Amino acid sequence: MYTALRNSLANLLRVPTTPPEVPSGTYGAVEIMRASPRYLTYSLLGFYLGAAITFVVEAVALVSVFVSGDVWAQVLTVPVLLLLALGLFLKWFLVRIDYDLRYYVVTDRSLRVREGAWTVAEMTLTYANVQNVRIEQGPLQRLFGISDLVVDTAGGGAVAHPKHSAGVAHHVRLAGLEDAAAVRDKVLSYVRQHGRTSGLGDLDDAERPTAAARLAPEVLAAARELREESRRFRQAAEQAR
Amino acid sequence: MSHDPSPAAGAPQGGGDASILAITRPHPNLFWHYAALSLVGLCLAPVVFVPLFFKYHTLRYRLDEEGISASWGILFKREVHLTYKRIQDIHVKRNLVERWLGIGTVQVQTASGSSSAELSLEGMEDHDAVREFLYRRMRGHERATAPAGAADQAAAGAAEGRELAALLGEIRGELAAARQALEARRG
């Protein structure tokens, strides 16, 4: 049911159905990753918990309305319930489609993450700018055997939606990875390969590793002339004796 | 009401870097995106819309070989400049309305303390091409490599240094011998 619904809505919502483009350039390694299917289960569990709380609140409200016997309040409950049902359905659909739209492109020089359904965000960064890499795992995530890999670049600011990097600059979150440690090792090895610059746009890193300085040919020629001249000077001094 | 004062409005389609360097104005559909945004404010829509209206009409971009600048505003003027080398990450964001209108926002982050983007290129029609243009100017998009034959150069430099030292040694020897000869004649 979900797949049919998504296929019919994909065009209306204009969501991208293909994986994100790999950043332009040539790479030693390109890997396109998805969140684990267990991440979907985990997200749906969160949705069901929220829905259960909504149902309890609704049931209490319904009982109190019918106990009060107010006819207008009873009539009003119908559209309110319909609206709540629609909202829940929308939320469920968003949880499902968020999982389908999620892509992580890991190359040996850059990282690109796509996420979000209302706002489709694609974040690109190069390892030259990576400041730190961390793994985050909550108790429920541990139960499901998944964790998030967060890659930070320099810069700060308040974190408005910690679970959604779409809202926050300066970091990307690879959510719901089954083997976050392996991806972390891979990212760290790429960062190391890149070299150890501060990642703050140092203008001098444009200068590549340079060779030892060559002597100007004139210096050697002058030294040879000086040697010949000193030899003649010695010979003159010896003959004058 | 005309919402398109500039004949050069919008991102040209296709083309290479030249078409991106030529971008000075957002796509006209940004106007409708702003209109839709202000509708979210319901009864406050007119209040929200007025600054966005002026922002749309005064928004100017300039991309050159060094960096990007953007300026907007009529009462409160804003101007942002940044260089490509300082870009930390690039985000392309498209909300539902932007996707319907066929435009996108390219957000450029530098290492400053704010959590929001330092510069947003709003109303980009060819947002992916703009992103790749910026990406190719970012640090680290290609691997830093030593120039070809760097090792040979280093070896040659060292050999020359040794030859110079040998020559200087010989000169010293000649001068010492000459001094001894002169001293012997005097003494």
Side-chain angles (χ1 to χ4, degrees):
Chain A
M1 173 205 164
Y2 162 72
T3 319
L5 187 70
R6 187 200 59 196
N7 291 343
S8 53
L9 282 180
N11 191 38
L12 178 73
L13 294 174
R14 301 272 199 286
V15 287
T17 46
T18 52
E21 282 174 49
V22 176
S24 54
T26 48
Y27 300 100
V30 175
E31 216 174 327
I32 298 181
M33 298 179 194
R34 308 288 318 266
S36 158
R38 294 203 289 268
Y39 175 72
L40 177 61
T41 323
Y42 164 74
S43 311
L44 282 174
L45 186 71
F47 164 74
Y48 292 138
L49 282 176
I53 293 168
T54 316
F55 275 124
V56 169
V57 172
E58 272 175 51
V60 170
L62 268 182
V63 167
S64 61
V65 160
F66 279 92
V67 165
S68 74
D70 187 335
V71 181
W72 282 112
Q74 285 171 12
V75 172
L76 259 177
T77 51
V78 177
V80 167
L81 281 182
L82 278 177
L83 219 63
L84 274 171
L86 190 73
L88 279 177
F89 175 73
L90 200 70
K91 185 84 207 308
W92 171 82
F93 183 73
L94 282 176
V95 167
R96 293 295 309 260
I97 203 164
D98 175 87
Y99 171 73
D100 283 357
L101 293 178
R102 210 166 257 286
Y103 279 99
Y104 314 131
V105 180
V106 181
T107 78
D108 59 347
R109 279 197 291 283
S110 51
L111 202 58
R112 177 169 287 172
V113 170
R114 179 198 277 162
E115 66 177 17
W118 277 130
T119 299
V120 178
E122 279 186 27
M123 291 145 286
T124 312
L125 56 87
T126 60
Y127 296 129
N129 293 326
V130 168
Q131 299 296 318
N132 46 66
V133 178
R134 54 202 159 93
I135 291 180
E136 290 180 3
Q137 189 184 44
L140 260 182
Q141 284 167 306
R142 184 164 330 147
L143 209 64
F144 282 96
I146 53 171
S147 39
D148 297 355
L149 183 75
V150 186
V151 179
D152 291 299
T153 61
V159 179
H161 301 287
K163 283 288 156 201
H164 243 250
S165 49
V168 190
H170 304 130
H171 81 240
V172 298
R173 178 181 290 271
L174 281 70
L177 292 174
E178 274 179 31
D179 196 356
V183 184
R184 176 248 290 145
D185 289 344
K186 193 172 284 178
V187 168
L188 282 178
S189 77
Y190 292 150
V191 170
R192 231 171 278 128
Q193 271 175 37
H194 186 85
R196 293 176 182 82
T197 63
S198 67
L200 289 168
D202 319 55
L203 290 173
D204 51 351
D205 353 304
E207 287 158 29
R208 302 291 175 231
T210 48
R214 296 285 304 264
L215 285 177
E218 292 82 6
V219 174
L220 275 181
R224 278 192 204 102
E225 273 175 40
L226 187 59
R227 180 189 60 187
E228 296 315 314
E229 191 54 43
S230 63
R231 186 167 290 162
R232 282 194 292 275
F233 179 67
R234 186 216 357 125
Q235 283 162 358
E238 281 170 353
Q239 279 162 16
R241 186 156 43 159
Chain B
M1 176 173 51
S2 165
H3 59 270
D4 182 9
S6 163
Q13 276 194 319
D17 289 355
S19 65
I20 288 160
L21 287 167
I23 294 174
T24 55
R25 290 278 301 146
H27 189 270
N29 277 350
L30 181 66
F31 180 86
W32 300 112
H33 177 221
Y34 281 168
L37 267 186
S38 51
L39 281 182
V40 177
L42 295 174
C43 57
L44 284 174
V47 183
V48 179
F49 186 59
V50 168
L52 287 176
F53 176 86
F54 286 114
K55 181 174 182 185
Y56 170 75
H57 280 277
T58 53
L59 195 52
R60 295 286 182 281
Y61 301 127
R62 203 169 71 86
L63 290 97
D64 58 29
E65 289 306 316
E66 289 297 309
I68 325 170
S69 41
S71 65
W72 69 92
I74 189 155
L75 276 179
F76 296 91
K77 292 202 177 207
R78 295 289 149 80
E79 237 183 87
V80 187
H81 301 266
L82 61 86
T83 54
Y84 299 130
K85 284 271 177 258
R86 302 274 161 169
I87 296 176
Q88 292 279 318
D89 38 313
I90 309 170
H91 295 193
V92 173
K93 288 188 185 173
R94 308 182 72 202
N95 63 31
L96 189 58
V97 179
E98 284 176 297
R99 294 201 295 272
W100 277 334
L101 293 169
I103 56 174
T105 302
V106 180
Q107 295 187 338
V108 183
Q109 337 275 346
T110 61
S112 84
S114 67
S115 66
S116 55
E118 276 70 50
L119 196 151
S120 285
L121 295 163
E122 290 177 84
M124 291 291 115
E125 188 180 21
D126 212 351
H127 40 85
D128 283 2
V130 173
R131 175 179 63 189
E132 294 310 310
F133 171 89
L134 296 174
Y135 175 78
R136 287 196 302 274
R137 281 157 183 76
M138 249 172 112
R139 294 173 61 255
H141 75 281
E142 60 183 15
R143 193 180 304 295
T145 47
D152 297 349
Q153 290 276 317
E160 282 170 352
R162 280 194 295 275
E163 190 186 345
L164 183 63
L167 281 170
L168 290 173
E170 281 183 50
I171 292 164
R172 210 209 76 192
E174 297 290 344
L175 286 176
R179 176 176 54 78
Q180 280 164 5
L182 287 173
E183 277 171 357
R185 195 176 68 162
R186 191 155 30 117

